[in-house]
Amino acid sequence: MTDVQISAHLARVPGWALVDGAIEKTFRFDDYHRTMAFVNALAWIAHREDHHPDLRVSYDRCTVRFNTHSVGGISINDFICAARVDALLTD
């Protein structure tokens, strides 16, 4: 994807940012139980999509990082998965 395409797609997934060749977002939670529930739900989505992010998990937060190794950068799949991860937390 070009920088212009990436910027356009980032505008559609609030809170996600371009960081060192990937898109990433940190999600914050009240406690470890909620953090792990999020991680488990995210793992189900990643398995279903066959598109697996890098995760950094702490007590009250999880940083999710998507890029597509097969294209050596960012693809539309990264943004699709980012939107699906965001949907886990909408009412």
Side-chain angles (χ1 to χ4, degrees):
M1 296 184 88
T2 67
D3 290 343
V4 171
Q5 291 170 318
I6 291 168
S7 292
H9 286 291
L10 279 172
R12 296 182 186 127
V13 285
W16 290 84
L18 179 62
V19 179
D20 297 327
I23 59 169
E24 77 173 36
K25 182 176 182 177
T26 298
F27 296 85
R28 297 186 186 278
F29 302 94
D30 291 336
D31 55 41
Y32 188 72
H33 175 76
R34 285 178 176 85
T35 303
M36 293 311 296
F38 171 78
V39 168
N40 287 326
L42 188 159
W44 185 84
I45 289 170
H47 177 71
R48 184 172 174 215
E49 295 296 321
D50 195 26
H51 197 61
H52 306 90
D54 292 325
L55 303 175
R56 188 173 40 224
V57 180
S58 301
Y59 173 82
D60 62 351
R61 73 194 71 171
C62 177
T63 300
V64 182
R65 183 176 169 84
F66 281 106
N67 66 352
T68 304
H69 300 287
S70 62
V71 301
I74 298 173
S75 74
I76 192 65
N77 285 346
D78 300 312
F79 290 101
I80 291 168
C81 288
R84 290 191 172 147
V85 170
D86 283 343
L88 289 172
L89 302 175
T90 59
D91 296 332

